[in-house]
Amino acid sequence: EDAPPGGRCEPGWRAMSLEGPIPFETTGVLAALASALGAAGVSIFAVSTFDTDYLLVRGADAVRAEAALVSAGFRFDGGG
């Protein structure tokens, strides 16, 4: 609804954030998440900041994404 008129917009994405800050020298975190989701057939859009990383998944894939990550050993806080 806030997209500019005539702009390209793909609504319906869900964001998952990693609890940060993640030390810069820590490697492989995003790769492990992406690997687990890729194995489950879930496409992602990843955004990294200085403090943390965010994964965006299509809303229709959110439940499958969470199940894949939990199965890979990641935890969710359920913060909504």
Side-chain angles (χ1 to χ4, degrees):
E1 65 198 41
D2 292 331
R8 184 172 177 208
C9 179
E10 186 176 331
W13 289 78
R14 299 280 306 272
M16 300 175 185
S17 64
L18 279 67
E19 186 174 321
I22 300 167
F24 188 73
E25 61 275 357
T26 302
T27 61
V29 176
L30 188 55
L33 293 161
S35 178
L37 292 170
V42 176
S43 295
I44 65 167
F45 181 80
V47 178
S48 296
T49 70
F50 182 78
D51 289 335
T52 194
D53 296 317
Y54 300 89
L55 294 177
L56 287 85
V57 299
R58 290 184 172 92
D61 294 332
V63 171
R64 187 163 41 115
E66 184 171 341
L69 292 173
V70 168
S71 178
F74 295 97
R75 293 180 296 129
F76 283 80
D77 72 2

